[in-house]
Amino acid sequence: MVPIEYYLILSVVLFAMGAAGVLARRNALIIFMSIELMLNAANLAFVTFARQYGQLDGQVFVFFVIAAAAAEVAVGLALIVMIFRSKHSIDVDQMSSLRE
Amino acid sequence: MLFSEAMSTGFFNLAPLVVLFPGIGLLFNMVFGGRLPEKVVGWVASLAVGAAFVISILLAVSLSAIHGHAEIVSVTEWMSIGSLHLDWAFRVDTLSVAMMLMVSGVGTLIHIYAIGYMHEDVRFKGDPTRFQRFFVFMNLFIAMMMILVSGDNYLMLFVGWEGVGLCSFLLIGFWYDLDILGRPSLENAKAANKAFIANRIGDFGFLIASFLIFTYLGSLQFDLVFAEVEHVAQPVILTITLFMLLGVVGKSAQIPLFVWLPDAMAGPTPVSALIHAATMVTAGVYLVARSAPLYGTVPAAQEIVALIGAVTALFAATIAVAQYDIKRVLAYSTISQLGFMVAAVGMGAYAAGMFHLVMHAFFKALLFLSAGSVILGIERGYHAMSHGKKGHGFHHTDDEVFNPNDMRNMGGLKDRMPVTFWVYLAGTLALAGIPPFAGFWSKDEILLDASLHYPVVYWLLTAAAFMTAFYMGRQVWLVFFGKSRHEAAEKAEESPRIITAPLVILAGLSVLGGVLNLPHFHTLGHWLEYTLGELRISEFSWLMAGQATLIALFAIFLAWLLYGRREQAANEPDALKKLLGPAFVVFEHMYWIDEGYAAVFINRYKDLARFLAEVIDGRFWHDWLHDSVLAAGFGKLARFLADPVDLGLIDGIANGLADLTQWVASRLRRFQNGFVRSYALSVLLGVVLILGYLLFR
Amino acid sequence: MAVDFELIMFFILAGVGIGTAAGMLLSRSAVYSALFLVLNFGAVAGFYLFLNAPFIAMAQITVYAGAIMVLFLFVIMLLGAEKLTPPEVLPWQRPLAVVLAGILILEAAYLLFLRTPGLGEIQMPGFGPDTSPAAIGAILFGKYLLPFEITSVLLLTAMVGAIVLVRPRKQGGGQE
């Protein structure tokens, strides 16, 4: 018997860790992974609620999120490859030309 | 509409047309006049007045068909304020129709004359574009004069009164920027202002009188006012009539407000004839006649009116004998003759006064127009002379000062301008009162009445009549007889037919006009009785008539002695001057009335104005109140606002805001650092803050 | 209160999940991070099983731990495990990120444990509706048919986009 709050707080912790990773790390790949972590945290919350309310819709939503994440990773990694080709670096702090 | 049917019901409904026709004429000329030839403009204007004349005849016929009962044709309600109810209504009675006939009849002839006169005048002055404007003003004048004489209440009369005053102003100042030879000058504009301001003083009196009438008699409509007269105290009526008299002396150029009329001759000659001789200046006489029920109740007022008229008649006549300007002589003559009329209506001899008014309109219009013809002739001669001169290379020193109006430049025009001479002679004899010319009958009637009721007035008027005959004789000798005293007079030419034709008609009227009111018949007198009630009509007296005729003939003989018997040389002093000496100088300078007014009134007024300007406005208002009180106060306030408030507070806030913004910006700029992680950080910060807000709100 | 087996299982898994997440964040090598993340995904998949979502658990393992993470590893290998060198240009970024994340967790905890009435508990072998892949498929191809098809378009677009992006450019030439 696990209180639902536990699942949810776990979801939040994972989400916060992912967010912190996005903010703290400079490596674009790690940032990407952190984003995946955050998506996972959200998925966990979805599934928890689906379980609580006895509905399948939450799980279907997670399915969509996984699909979107896959698409995002495919495009994102392609971008990173492109950026690495031109800048020879995946440090996001190097990608600050938007400032000017 | 069948004519016979109209005869039975009358043409009274056509009354508004007497105003409408000239109105249409002026609008037409205003809109299209610029694109039409001069002839069309002139004839449209003349026809408009002629149409008004026809309507006036129809009204007169209708009126006689119903035995002269007054008809009131109301067009529309004008105003209804409290107890004041006024209609825009035309009063068709024997008095107003007599005036309408005179105004439109003489007006038509003068309009026709003006077609020829202005054609030459605008070319002589060098601005032909003003031809159209002249006829617009003239039509406007006729329309206003018609409102004046046909209005059914004092306010409508006042509208016309002011309207003709305006037209007078516009037409006196017609050549507002040019002098008589077309050189730049402001004299005419000044004359126009003088006329306007003098009239304004009179209008003020009329206005006060109207207010008093409304206050004490409860209405402004003639019938209602006159019905109330009996119920009002004599002093009130006296006050009303005296204030009204102020209007009369202003409009009809009587002492003391006559000074504007001589200067008004600055207007083109048709204007002098129409406005300043025949019609507008008689409005004062008409007003007294119209207000007969008011004056009838206060003999004191009547006496004052009669005396003012008589004194003016003599006074102006004495000035006229010493004038050189042909139009100025006629101007003073007009003042003098207006004095006759005012004296007549003052004495209660309304029939005689109105009779003289109409006769005077004929012969004075004739004289003015003839004088205009003379002036044109001289101008033509002057023109020919200057052209001839250019060929010879001969320089004339008189060029700069040549005055075509000056009788000293004339002489001997009898042969060169025969038509003008004969009609001028007819006018002169009519004015001098030689039987059987028109002026004889009317003047005789006035003198007769005066001799029976007001001996003082009689003697004054007789002296004036003597003077009249003398100055007219002098004028005729100087202008038409003898040798030409100037080259221009030698080359003078007769005027074209369009100018002489109206003169001939007017001359006919001046000769035969007397039949209108012959002794024993008194056609005009009985006609007016329908309106003015039972009139005092004095029976013809051979003694009086003979006496007057002899006096006039003697005066003309005297004039011949002085001016005709021996020819006057060009630079010789006036013959009368030798005879009268200083008195002549007094006359010549018009008793220094202008100067006297200038010293007594105008300069005092200017002093007052200067006092107000310099002391009250300048020293007190500006220097002290403005500079010391207001300016200093404002200065202190401004300094307070400027230094502590503006620099300290406002600028502090403004600069503070700017500094704050700059500071915030410099801080905020760090966020815009181009690092995507920082942006993401702010997103998370937003998430945390919003969630915190939602939780702890 | 007896020791709850399910609760113990939850805490063990949660510890694994949080530990692997922290490992992913803190490891210097991207390869380690990727491997930690695979472990993390596995732990989350365990939770899905607890939560009566076997289909999602399987999808999680195959798609995330399998496909996505393999893709990550490929890229890492392709680019080389780069060691990023200081200097850190945003000195406040890291502490701030940690603090904000902490605040976020505290807020969520406050919301869940202090503000919300009890949400109930979950029993491990899970009752509730049929969550078999057949049931998921039924709802996926019924109620959510249109989003499902859009997802397929999204995946196709991403695939084409990725290929176009990384396509080697011809020297001096444009597209084509």
Side-chain angles (χ1 to χ4, degrees):
Chain A
M1 300 283 277
V2 181
I4 288 174
E5 287 88 347
Y6 286 17
Y7 283 100
L8 293 178
I9 197 72
L10 175 66
S11 165
V12 169
V13 169
L14 289 175
F15 183 88
M17 291 177 79
V22 170
L23 299 181
R25 296 300 299 261
R26 289 188 284 161
N27 190 322
L29 283 168
I30 307 292
I31 289 174
F32 248 102
M33 291 180 204
S34 301
I35 290 172
E36 298 303 321
L37 185 60
M38 289 166 77
L39 284 169
N40 252 290
N43 285 349
L44 185 57
F46 269 122
V47 174
T48 307
F49 283 118
R51 172 71 180 81
Q52 189 204 354
Y53 294 110
Q55 298 276 337
L56 277 180
D57 302 64
Q59 297 194 16
V60 172
F61 232 93
V62 171
F63 176 79
F64 287 136
V65 171
I66 291 170
E72 174 229 328
V73 166
V75 176
L77 288 177
L79 282 170
I80 287 171
V81 170
M82 284 298 297
I83 290 166
F84 184 79
R85 274 187 197 162
S86 64
K87 291 208 164 219
H88 302 287
S89 167
I90 49 170
D91 186 349
V92 289
D93 287 355
Q94 303 290 316
M95 308 170 201
S96 58
S97 52
L98 201 66
R99 180 166 51 177
E100 272 80 32
Chain B
M1 185 169 70
L2 289 171
F3 195 76
S4 55
E5 194 186 319
M7 285 301 293
S8 57
T9 58
F11 291 100
F12 297 111
N13 287 335
L14 299 181
L17 291 179
V18 298
V19 176
L20 204 59
F21 276 133
I24 292 170
L26 92 91
L27 284 178
F28 179 86
N29 277 336
M30 219 158 88
V31 177
F32 303 110
R35 268 162 279 168
L36 294 171
E38 283 184 1
K39 281 247 153 58
V40 178
V41 172
W43 280 109
V44 164
S46 307
L47 279 177
V49 185
F53 180 59
V54 172
I55 299 296
S56 305
I57 290 176
L58 291 177
L59 291 175
V61 169
S62 311
L63 210 52
S64 62
I66 58 163
H67 308 293
H69 291 295
E71 279 281 335
I72 291 162
V73 184
S74 184
V75 177
T76 178
E77 187 184 60
W78 187 4
M79 55 178 86
S80 185
I81 306 164
S83 60
L84 175 67
H85 299 284
L86 287 178
D87 278 0
W88 195 263
F90 292 88
R91 184 183 182 88
V92 182
D93 62 16
T94 52
L95 178 63
S96 66
V97 166
M99 288 296 285
M100 281 187 219
L101 283 169
M102 187 275 285
V103 170
S104 56
V106 175
T108 308
L109 293 173
I110 294 175
H111 269 73
I112 294 170
Y113 170 94
I115 299 173
Y117 182 90
M118 290 313 290
H119 175 80
E120 296 197 26
D121 197 35
V122 293
R123 275 162 188 74
F124 186 77
K125 302 277 202 313
D127 186 6
T129 56
R130 294 198 201 178
F131 187 88
Q132 167 205 7
R133 191 195 302 171
F134 181 82
F135 282 95
V136 170
F137 288 166
M138 288 288 268
N139 270 182
L140 179 63
F141 170 79
I142 295 288
M144 285 302 171
M145 194 69 203
M146 285 300 190
I147 290 175
L148 197 164
V149 299
S150 63
D152 186 44
N153 51 60
Y154 278 106
L155 206 59
M156 231 176 119
L157 200 160
F158 187 70
V159 168
W161 188 272
E162 290 295 310
V164 294
L166 169 69
C167 292
S168 165
F169 167 77
L170 291 173
L171 286 164
I172 293 169
F174 186 71
W175 297 110
Y176 55 87
D177 52 351
L178 303 173
D179 73 357
I180 198 159
L181 288 178
R183 293 171 305 199
S185 155
L186 286 176
E187 288 306 311
N188 292 354
K190 282 182 188 161
N193 278 343
K194 188 175 178 184
F196 203 67
I197 291 165
N199 265 298
R200 192 90 305 100
I201 297 167
D203 297 343
F204 160 77
F206 184 16
L207 211 51
I208 298 287
S210 300
F211 295 158
L212 291 173
I213 286 171
F214 178 66
T215 309
Y216 288 99
L217 299 160
S219 176
L220 288 171
Q221 209 264 327
F222 292 139
D223 287 335
L224 298 175
V225 170
F226 300 151
E228 277 294 309
V229 169
E230 290 171 16
H231 310 299
V232 177
Q234 281 250 325
V236 172
I237 303 290
L238 182 66
T239 315
I240 291 171
T241 50
L242 289 181
F243 270 115
M244 201 180 277
L245 180 63
L246 189 58
V248 171
V249 298
K251 194 59 91 187
S252 287
Q254 301 295 295
I255 290 173
L257 291 178
F258 69 95
V259 288
W260 66 271
L261 189 56
D263 286 10
M265 297 304 137
T269 302
V271 174
S272 307
L274 179 64
I275 299 183
H276 305 120
T279 54
M280 185 189 84
V281 288
T282 62
V285 181
Y286 168 77
L287 180 61
V288 177
R290 176 55 81 196
S291 310
L294 291 176
Y295 283 93
T297 51
V298 274
Q302 283 191 303
E303 273 173 37
I304 292 171
V305 174
L307 266 177
I308 283 183
V311 170
T312 307
L314 179 60
F315 184 76
T318 58
I319 298 174
V321 301
Q323 296 303 308
Y324 295 110
D325 187 314
I326 185 169
K327 283 176 74 181
R328 270 189 113 75
V329 174
L330 294 176
Y332 281 104
S333 163
T334 303
I335 297 171
S336 169
Q337 296 303 308
L338 287 168
F340 273 83
M341 297 172 217
V342 170
V345 293
M347 292 184 297
Y350 297 108
M354 289 302 294
F355 184 33
H356 195 56
L357 187 156
V358 177
M359 294 307 107
H360 176 257
F362 293 156
F363 60 68
K364 190 51 68 64
L366 169 64
L367 285 170
F368 264 114
L369 296 184
S370 309
S373 174
V374 168
I375 293 164
L376 279 185
I378 298 284
E379 282 177 357
R380 276 188 288 265
Y382 180 72
H383 213 65
M385 183 188 83
S386 335
H387 272 271
K389 235 176 262 160
K390 266 179 195 140
H392 300 154
F394 171 71
H395 184 69
H396 202 282
T397 49
D398 276 1
D399 263 12
E400 291 303 310
V401 292
F402 177 75
N403 183 353
N405 289 12
D406 196 327
M407 294 192 290
R408 285 169 295 192
N409 291 333
M410 299 177 188
L413 292 176
K414 174 166 63 85
D415 303 320
R416 272 175 289 278
M417 306 182 74
V419 180
T420 305
F421 166 65
W422 285 111
V423 295
Y424 204 94
L425 194 62
T428 301
L429 294 176
L431 175 53
I434 307 297
F437 292 92
F440 165 75
W441 305 105
S442 56
K443 198 180 283 182
D444 185 60
E445 224 173 288
I446 294 172
L447 290 172
L448 186 64
D449 196 274
S451 70
L452 293 177
H453 303 281
Y454 294 87
V456 181
V457 171
Y458 170 73
W459 288 113
L460 286 168
L461 292 183
T462 304
F466 170 78
M467 293 285 193
T468 305
F470 176 79
Y471 65 68
M472 285 316 292
R474 168 177 179 264
Q475 199 175 34
V476 169
W477 300 124
L478 278 176
V479 172
F480 291 102
F481 291 90
K483 268 202 203 126
S484 301
R485 287 180 294 278
H486 193 278
E487 226 179 316
E490 276 170 23
K491 293 202 161 67
E493 293 163 30
E494 181 59 282
S495 299
R497 192 159 300 162
I498 195 164
I499 287 179
T500 53
L503 294 181
V504 171
I505 296 172
L506 281 170
L509 289 169
S510 302
V511 175
L512 303 172
V515 297
L516 207 55
N517 199 25
L518 285 178
H520 300 292
F521 298 102
H522 293 291
T523 326
L524 183 69
H526 292 306
W527 170 260
L528 291 175
E529 272 182 349
Y530 293 121
T531 304
L532 300 172
E534 193 72 24
L535 290 178
R536 188 175 69 211
I537 291 173
S538 311
E539 270 318 310
F540 185 72
S541 150
W542 285 102
L543 178 68
M544 294 300 302
Q547 205 175 317
T549 309
L550 280 177
I551 287 171
L553 287 174
F554 175 66
I556 292 173
F557 171 71
L558 207 62
W560 175 78
L561 273 182
L562 286 170
Y563 298 99
R565 193 174 49 134
R566 198 180 57 81
E567 275 180 22
Q568 186 111 5
N571 298 321
E572 190 185 350
D574 197 279
L576 190 64
K577 196 171 183 173
K578 288 180 242 165
L579 194 68
L580 291 179
F584 184 85
V585 179
V586 172
F587 297 156
E588 188 181 358
H589 291 95
M590 308 151 206
Y591 295 84
W592 287 284
I593 284 286
D594 276 341
E595 289 79 358
Y597 278 7
V600 176
F601 296 111
I602 297 170
N603 288 345
R604 296 294 79 76
Y605 184 75
K606 283 181 180 166
D607 288 345
L608 177 66
R610 209 168 293 126
F611 172 76
L612 289 173
E614 286 174 5
V615 178
I616 302 292
D617 189 56
R619 251 174 267 159
F620 171 73
W621 188 248
H622 281 291
D623 292 354
W624 186 74
L625 193 66
H626 274 196
D627 294 355
S628 306
V629 179
L630 293 177
F634 269 111
K636 272 184 195 133
L637 181 63
R639 223 163 290 126
F640 170 72
L641 289 173
D643 290 345
V645 177
D646 188 53
L647 286 180
L649 187 66
I650 309 284
D651 282 10
I653 291 173
N655 293 340
L657 277 174
D659 290 346
L660 182 69
T661 310
Q662 205 166 18
W663 181 82
V664 170
S666 67
R667 291 287 169 277
L668 284 175
R669 197 160 52 212
R670 298 187 185 179
F671 292 101
Q672 175 66 20
N673 53 10
F675 293 115
V676 71
R677 292 195 298 152
S678 294
Y679 304 156
L681 184 73
S682 51
V683 172
L684 184 61
L685 180 65
V687 169
V688 169
L689 288 180
I690 289 171
L691 190 59
Y693 169 74
L694 289 174
L695 282 175
F696 300 108
R697 63 181 162 170
Chain C
M1 219 202 274
V3 174
D4 195 330
F5 169 73
E6 289 177 26
L7 205 57
I8 293 169
M9 282 296 290
F10 173 83
F11 279 120
I12 291 171
L13 264 180
V16 171
I18 291 171
T20 51
M24 182 213 70
L25 290 177
L26 297 175
S27 74
R28 294 211 164 268
S29 166
V31 180
Y32 287 150
S33 290
L35 292 177
F36 274 123
L37 193 58
V38 172
L39 276 179
N40 180 270
F41 287 162
V44 173
F47 284 119
Y48 291 160
L49 284 175
F50 284 2
L51 289 169
N52 203 13
F55 173 71
I56 297 299
M58 289 305 115
Q60 172 89 353
I61 298 292
T62 51
V63 176
Y64 265 124
I68 293 178
M69 290 323 295
V70 168
L71 195 60
F72 265 101
L73 285 171
F74 266 132
V75 172
I76 293 166
M77 299 306 171
L78 182 70
L79 303 182
E82 188 194 8
K83 295 271 192 309
L84 294 176
T85 49
E88 169 70 88
V89 285
L90 297 167
W92 288 98
Q93 182 80 12
R94 192 162 291 185
L96 259 179
V98 174
V99 168
L100 282 176
I103 292 173
L104 187 65
I105 292 168
L106 288 178
E107 281 176 345
Y110 170 78
L111 175 65
L112 285 170
F113 295 109
L114 297 177
R115 290 285 298 277
T116 321
L119 291 170
E121 297 181 324
I122 290 169
Q123 275 194 315
M124 193 77 70
F127 306 154
D130 182 11
T131 56
S132 65
I136 299 253
I139 192 170
L140 205 54
F141 292 105
K143 192 176 170 187
Y144 290 99
L145 180 60
L146 184 65
F148 180 77
E149 294 297 340
I150 292 175
T151 306
S152 67
V153 174
L154 175 71
L155 286 170
L156 180 67
T157 313
M159 190 168 71
V160 172
I163 292 168
V164 169
L165 274 174
V166 296
R167 187 181 52 150
R169 312 261 157 149
K170 291 209 164 59
Q171 197 73 24
Q175 260 91 348
E176 204 57 2

